[in-house]
Amino acid sequence: MKSSIYITRRLPDSIVESLEAYFEIKMWEEDTPVPREVLLRETQNVEGIYCLLTDTIDEEVIKGAPNLKVISNMAVGFNNIDVEAAEQRGIVVTNTPGVLTETTADLTFALLMSTARRILEASDYLRNGDWDTWSPMLLTGQEVHGSTIGIIGLGRIGEAVARRAKGFGMNLLYYNRTRKIEKEEEIGIQYRELNELLAESDFVCVMIPYSPSVHHFIGKDELAQMKTNAILINTSRGGIVDEEALYEALVNKQIWGAGLDVFEEEPVSLHHPLLSLSNVVTLPHIGSASVKTRLKMAQLAADNIIHVLNDKSPLTPVNS
Ligand code: GLV
């Protein structure tokens, strides 16, 4: 008999077909997050859950699914899953690292450039009919080349951002929980303590995975240490930055701007104060959103389930 799996969102046909070859599938057919009660009901008898970062797979879901063997997240971040509860039950949790590294670094850099050079503001300016003449200081932003970027978290994506920054002639700094001496020479990046990095960087890029221990890692005190011309970029998880403190720092001109692809609550409310500021560029969590990369992530998440439920080692487990 085929194992059964639950998929929490409509996936591209090719991915569904690759899973159908092995499993009995049930899928939430809408392109909206599956309602909690449906998730709890539909996962009761399954061996595998294929989920997205919008699904909370907590102890209640895990306890309610006694046959569950694998939870496969179509994302590199997995803070939506209670990995400890899964581990206690011997359930494998997998994510999709690697395949999205370069694409997410591209977007991070695009966001950095857009914020520094006021691209969206300038585009709106033109379309609103405000463009009367070329003017010496019109829509002037911050210089990217020759500036200093401070990368907080030198993991795969942090390193890929550093390589791009190097190509732009930027001076590279990083802070990481553990220093990565071998990377320093390889990439040409220098280690700084967090307070030093904040004080020296023109761009502070947050590139760490979220866990409760890094909740509001960038808060009032950290923002106060940044330069007045500095720009904060966050493409990891919203909870890492204290949005209230960020708003205050932007309004009080403690820092110059921010580029955010992620928010404490997603989708972010249109009434969120940060959305009222012209020096904040906001994106709807699209770091890995290229067609190729999203298909690779979707396939890797499928392959992880196929492996585990066929008694093979998962390709990219987050737990042992
Ligand atoms: C996206 O944010 C991911 O974690 O893959």
Side-chain angles (χ1 to χ4, degrees), residues 53 74-78 96 100 235-237 262 285 288 294 297:
L53 55 83
M74 189 195 141
V76 67
F78 49 86
T96 59
L100 48 60
T235 54
S236 34
R237 285 292 183 271
V262 288
H285 203 147
S288 61
R294 284 289 166 84
M297 289 164 68

Side-chain angles (χ1 to χ4, degrees), residues 162-175:
R163 278 190 270 105
R164 282 155 181 76
K166 194 175 181 185
F168 271 80
M170 295 170 93
N171 175 34
L172 314 182
L173 307 178
Y174 81 102
Y175 165 78

Side-chain angles (χ1 to χ4, degrees), residues 243-244 247 263-265 268-276:
E243 288 173 356
E244 241 178 85
Y247 176 79
F263 297 87
E264 294 199 51
E265 259 192 61
V268 67
S269 158
L270 288 182
H271 306 294
H272 194 298
L274 283 170
L275 270 62
S276 67

Side-chain angles (χ1 to χ4, degrees), residues 24 60 92 109 147 164 182 196 205 214 216 223 238 269 286:
E24 290 294 339
E60 191 187 11
V92 178
F109 221 80
S147 65
R164 282 155 181 76
E182 76 292 349
E196 296 169 333
C205 257
V214 292
H216 290 182
L223 291 159
S269 158
I286 56 164

Side-chain angles (χ1 to χ4, degrees), residues 20 34 50 61 63 80 92 104 161 181 196 201 214 224-225 298 316:
E20 266 169 352
V34 57
Y50 184 120
V61 178
K63 277 199 169 146
N80 55 311
V92 178
T104 308
V161 169
I181 306 235
E196 296 169 333
S201 300
V214 292
Q225 294 174 60
T316 47

